Amino acid sequence: MRRVGAILLAVAACLPAIADGRVVVGSKNFAENRLLAELFARVLEARTDLTVERRLNLAGTQVCFEALREGSIDLYPEYTGTGLVTILGEPPGGDAADTLNRVRGEFLARFDLRWLPPLGFENAYELAVPSELAERHGLRTISDLVLVAPDLRAGLGYEFLERDDGLPGLRDVYGLEFGEVRALQQALKYQAVAAREVDCLDVYTTDGRVLTHDLVVLEDDRGFFPPYAAAPLVRGDTLRAHPEIGNVLALLADAIDEDAMRALNLRVQEGGEPIERVAQEALEDLGLVGERAVAAVSTREVSFWGYLW
């Protein structure tokens, strides 16, 4: 009876927080991450009674991760490979399932942070060069690039220059050394390669601009880059206070493939469409908000017992 009483008291203590709940959704400072955060925010607004606050564009991985740990935000979109290498400091390696299981276990044990089911696509790092350059030098793989890199100029992102799954790791694994390296923001890299101011850049697999800038993505022939499955990363305290968050975000599990994400990114990056509109229409297409939302509930939501779990 004492145990039951303690449980009831704990539940009662949580009720005001749930009734007057507020959840803060954060993001990193690039278009896809902001777009995913907006998807999270809108589906939570549509399917819960929570008040959703947005804190988007919070710089890079470490800023978002520390904000999550400290409670400044409750969740943000993260990538399993980034969690493995950048946050846990482990070497790249393993397939998608191994990487997910590793970060799930370690984040839970060390930080009380929960990886929810992945969204259905990976946003992996890759290296790309203009198609004309690739044809002239016969570039197909990163190993091919190593042979000519001393004569090339690279435009690379700030994080890529420092991360173990970026240029430092590529130097160790491939012996990759460029003649010149420039640190550039994501959008500026594409402008620079279009103006032929740089010859090589780091890109993401879901970046729509790869298609519009006539680039050749080089094969990672030594399997250096780890899997980067996108998923919501949520504070344990937040899920205990508001278990409906996990239930609702689970509706996005395996809902977005790589082609779909690339098309959504392209609308924002090249089409200049507001992230809010793109996110809303994406959720409507999935049947998670709007007129189709009711029909989606019966087929995608988990059971009552799964909700309690």
Side-chain angles (χ1 to χ4, degrees):
M1 290 300 295
R2 284 196 298 270
R3 283 186 186 174
V4 172
I7 292 171
L8 291 175
L9 287 173
V11 171
C14 290
L15 288 177
I18 294 174
D20 301 322
R22 179 179 67 101
V23 60
V24 182
V25 179
S27 85
K28 303 184 191 185
N29 59 346
F30 60 94
E32 176 178 293
N33 212 257
R34 295 196 305 271
L35 178 54
L36 292 178
E38 185 66 26
L39 286 173
F40 297 169
R42 285 178 178 264
V43 75
L44 288 172
E45 287 173 331
R47 291 185 167 274
T48 72
D49 294 327
L50 297 169
T51 299
V52 180
E53 180 180 333
R54 294 158 175 79
R55 293 183 185 171
L56 310 185
N57 216 36
L58 294 175
T61 299
Q62 291 298 338
V63 172
C64 278
F65 177 66
E66 290 303 324
L68 190 68
R69 288 187 64 187
E70 295 171 2
S72 300
I73 61 176
D74 294 293
L75 64 124
Y76 77 98
E78 189 52 278
Y79 306 90
T80 55
T82 301
L84 180 71
V85 177
T86 303
I87 298 175
L88 295 181
E90 298 190 9
D95 60 19
D98 291 337
T99 301
L100 176 61
N101 290 336
R102 180 63 179 164
V103 295
R104 268 185 169 159
E106 289 298 313
F107 274 63
L108 180 60
R110 297 190 199 182
F111 316 119
D112 191 26
L113 301 179
R114 318 299 173 97
W115 290 84
L116 297 186
L119 305 177
F121 70 92
E122 290 186 18
N123 186 3
Y125 272 131
E126 293 176 328
L127 292 179
V129 297
S131 60
E132 177 273 329
L133 183 69
E135 183 176 352
R136 177 162 27 110
H137 293 288
L139 304 181
R140 186 182 62 82
T141 67
I142 296 178
S143 292
D144 295 334
L145 178 67
V146 170
L147 301 177
V148 298
D151 298 322
L152 301 181
R153 302 158 298 173
L156 306 176
Y158 293 98
E159 280 199 15
F160 193 83
L161 289 172
E162 299 178 355
R163 290 168 49 146
D164 290 338
D165 55 344
L167 185 59
L170 287 169
R171 284 173 173 153
D172 292 339
V173 173
Y174 282 97
L176 181 63
E177 294 289 349
F178 290 103
E180 178 186 344
V181 175
R182 294 175 57 186
L184 296 171
Q185 294 181 351
Q186 190 71 7
L188 296 179
K189 288 187 293 187
Y190 288 95
Q191 297 175 18
V193 77
R196 294 299 185 263
E197 295 173 357
V198 299
D199 306 301
C200 179
L201 64 161
D202 63 298
V203 299
Y204 301 120
T205 52
T206 53
D207 195 326
R209 290 169 294 195
V210 172
L211 304 176
T212 61
H213 283 74
D214 194 23
L215 299 174
V216 172
V217 175
L218 301 177
E219 178 189 345
D220 177 16
D221 51 306
R222 296 191 180 181
F224 166 72
F225 293 120
Y228 296 88
L233 184 60
V234 190
R235 287 172 53 82
D237 286 344
T238 300
L239 286 179
R240 282 187 288 273
H242 307 291
E244 65 270 34
I245 290 174
N247 187 40
V248 169
L249 292 180
L251 297 174
L252 291 170
D254 290 325
I256 307 172
D257 63 21
E258 188 173 296
D259 290 337
M261 195 67 236
R262 188 179 292 116
L264 294 174
N265 285 335
L266 193 60
R267 290 176 61 181
V268 174
Q269 294 163 341
E270 296 293 298
E273 295 186 52
I275 280 177
E276 295 81 4
R277 180 201 303 163
V278 175
Q280 179 69 20
E281 292 179 2
L283 291 172
E284 289 175 357
D285 289 343
L286 291 171
L288 299 181
V289 301
E291 295 180 358
R292 293 173 53 200
V294 174
V297 172
S298 62
T299 57
R300 297 201 59 121
E301 285 190 347
V302 299
S303 68
F304 172 74
W305 294 111
Y307 174 85
L308 290 181
W309 180 90

